[in-house]
Amino acid sequence: MGITALATHASDDLRKTLNRLKRAQGQLGAVITAVESGADCRAVVTQLAAVSSAIDRAGFTIISSAMKECLIDDDENGETNKLSVDELEKLFLSLA
């Protein structure tokens, strides 16, 4: 995969991640409103589970993108921004 293809893929990943986080933000607002209004606990827990899942998926997408970017040695300024395998593992496990 060429650098241009990687950049396009990273941009697409970023867009998807931002959309997922914005959706989670909206869901969290709905959870807060539901709790404040005394909504049924089943509905609150269901919404909370959706928020949690959306945030987890966003985190995994970010880590996945970082793993792909490690294939590129330098950024546009010529600086190395690689993550070590240990750093990637620590990030990945922090979501567990």
Side-chain angles (χ1 to χ4, degrees):
M1 185 179 290
I3 291 176
T4 304
L6 280 173
T8 300
H9 189 71
S11 175
D12 192 43
D13 284 346
L14 177 62
R15 181 185 53 78
K16 288 178 183 176
T17 300
L18 287 172
N19 286 341
R20 186 170 281 123
L21 289 171
K22 288 176 183 178
R23 190 168 43 250
Q25 183 179 32
Q27 289 171 319
L28 183 57
V31 169
I32 292 168
T33 300
V35 170
E36 289 174 340
S37 67
D40 178 65
C41 68
R42 287 175 290 227
V44 171
V45 171
T46 299
Q47 277 296 318
L48 197 53
V51 171
S52 180
S53 177
I55 290 171
D56 287 346
R57 298 235 349 128
F60 286 123
T61 302
I62 290 168
I63 292 170
S64 173
S65 294
M67 290 168 61
K68 292 172 195 164
E69 289 173 19
C70 283
L71 299 174
I72 301 173
D73 290 333
D74 300 322
D75 67 10
E76 61 274 0
N77 299 321
E79 297 176 15
T80 300
N81 287 327
K82 290 178 129 183
L83 292 173
S84 71
V85 172
D86 289 340
E87 289 172 315
L88 283 172
E89 182 180 16
K90 184 176 179 180
L91 286 172
F92 185 79
L93 292 174
S94 71
L95 295 174

